[in-house]
Amino acid sequence: EGEGEGEPPEHLKGLTLHGVKEKGEEIAQTLTLNNAMQIASNFGLNRTDLENVDLDVDVNLSDGGSTMMHLFSDLWTARAWILGFGFGLSLVVGFLYAFFLRVPGVLRLMVWGSIFATITMFFVVGAESYAYAERKGAEDPPVVEQSIIDGARYAAYGLWAVGALGIIAFCCLRSQIKTAMGCVREASRAMAKMPIIILFPILQGAGLILFMTAFLYYGVYLASMGTPSTREVAIDSMFGEQFSTVIKFRTFEYEPFVEYSAWYLLFCFFWTSQFILSMGEIIVAMAVSRWYFTRDKSRIGNMTVLRSICASTWYHAGTAAFGSLIIAVIKIFRVIVAKMQERAERMDAKIAKVLLCMLQCCLCCLEKCMRFINKNAYIQTAIFGSGFCASGRRAFFLVLRNAARVSAISFVSAGILFVGRLFVTGVTCAASYYALNERLEGQLHSPVGPVVLIAIIGYFVGGTFMSVFDMGITTVLHCYVADREMFGEDGESYAEGKLKEWIDESKNDYGGTIVTSKAGRDTRV
């Protein structure tokens, strides 16, 4: 049934199939299953024969949903490789990244390169925006409105101003950036001495899973305490009443006690989850601070992390509970405001929506500020062993006295952690792709699915590694400042390498409050 011998009919032209090898014919077309069967029948093939030959088709020769079936099949076939590369290799790459930061020249190249690239970006984008404004302004007749041209020109001026301010800030903060680089290098040394600290988030995850099990149990129990009722909603049709219909759906109504219990359960979720995260921050800070304030670094190892877990749990659980309580209260207020925003949206109350949006923004900023204060307060608790309020006050004035250093290390650490996360994800994906093509050739429909899942796992594992690394960097900065204040004057500082040189250079120009060395010696465990 076609125009010529062996040709498909007119309505099948443009649809091709590869590789009907038994009959020595090659047809280069993309087909659905039915069209493929019609052509295959011309060669004396049935469906079984068609599925057994080596076919290269753009549309799978199977029923709907085969793509998902192939994806799940590939994931199951490569499950061991996914776990090995996603969790194992990503951790190894994270350690290698921390090691590379200690290699002379690598950290310097990354930091100065990122600063140069950031400043250059503002000037380049500004130049492009200005060129766009000039190009569109010269068109006759004009195609773009004059307001858009003026906006592009003003945006160019603003970007150039930001770039100029970046150059000024770079010149003013050059020594602080060097200090930040030293803190990053020391943090990488601490991670290398205590590699088990990277696995601590797994313990936190196990704690969250246990808590979520109880949370979901009680949540389902509360949800089942409602009184069911059926409601009907009439849906009118544009084609007349005979096409109208009534939709029935079930709803649950809850007594005030059940609603209050749900709010209490939500508050418990916020408080407990934040408490687990806070304990992790204190433990990491204590382990790194013990490493810093130990002259004989050979005494430091994985047991230091275990001792920090015991000490933090025994002495500082109350500090973590109080700090997490503050965050939980702020988060519950944000949920209440969100419920009020939802009600204002239904009532279309414009003034209320604006006011509630402003309140939500203020609460969001307050939460971020308290997270920053809590993080620094936990580090002070780990170093000096003081309570939350005293540590928070000490951390606030420490940040105030060393605002330039904190700003520099925030910029440096953010860039390094971002590059590190991309490095871990990229290396893991590349290695897994080549390994799957080499070892599982012919067993996978496509390596894309497993590689994408490995990339997702590697990204989160890299983020977990970098979050611990970030806490270590900030802890080293606090230890460095405390080291300067307590031991910088008498030359007995605990800093090593470049950090020690910078402490020695800053003896004469330091104007901060000197803390008695006795307080420092109390922290040397």
Side-chain angles (χ1 to χ4, degrees), residues 74-140:
D74 291 341
L75 295 179
W76 177 255
T77 303
R79 60 190 183 279
W81 297 86
I82 292 173
L83 295 176
F85 280 93
F87 292 99
L89 182 62
S90 57
L91 281 177
V92 174
V93 174
F95 278 111
L96 289 177
Y97 180 75
F99 174 78
F100 288 150
L101 295 179
R102 298 162 55 190
V103 176
V106 174
L107 179 62
R108 188 185 304 274
L109 177 64
M110 289 180 56
V111 173
W112 298 126
S114 62
I115 293 174
F116 175 77
T118 302
I119 296 176
T120 303
M121 178 189 65
F122 286 106
F123 285 103
V124 171
V125 176
E128 181 63 28
S129 179
Y130 185 81
Y132 173 83
E134 292 296 318
R135 186 170 60 253
K136 294 300 180 182
E139 292 179 347
D140 190 20

Side-chain angles (χ1 to χ4, degrees), residues 243-285:
F243 295 100
S244 300
T245 184
V246 176
I247 298 178
K248 297 181 180 181
F249 61 94
R250 179 174 295 181
T251 62
F252 289 86
E253 297 182 358
Y254 299 96
E255 298 179 357
F257 171 76
V258 179
E259 294 183 356
Y260 297 150
S261 299
W263 281 104
Y264 173 75
L265 191 63
L266 180 63
F267 178 76
C268 289
F269 169 75
F270 289 146
W271 193 2
T272 306
S273 59
Q274 293 301 316
F275 172 76
I276 294 174
L277 297 177
S278 299
M279 284 298 300
E281 291 182 340
I282 292 178
I283 290 171
V284 172

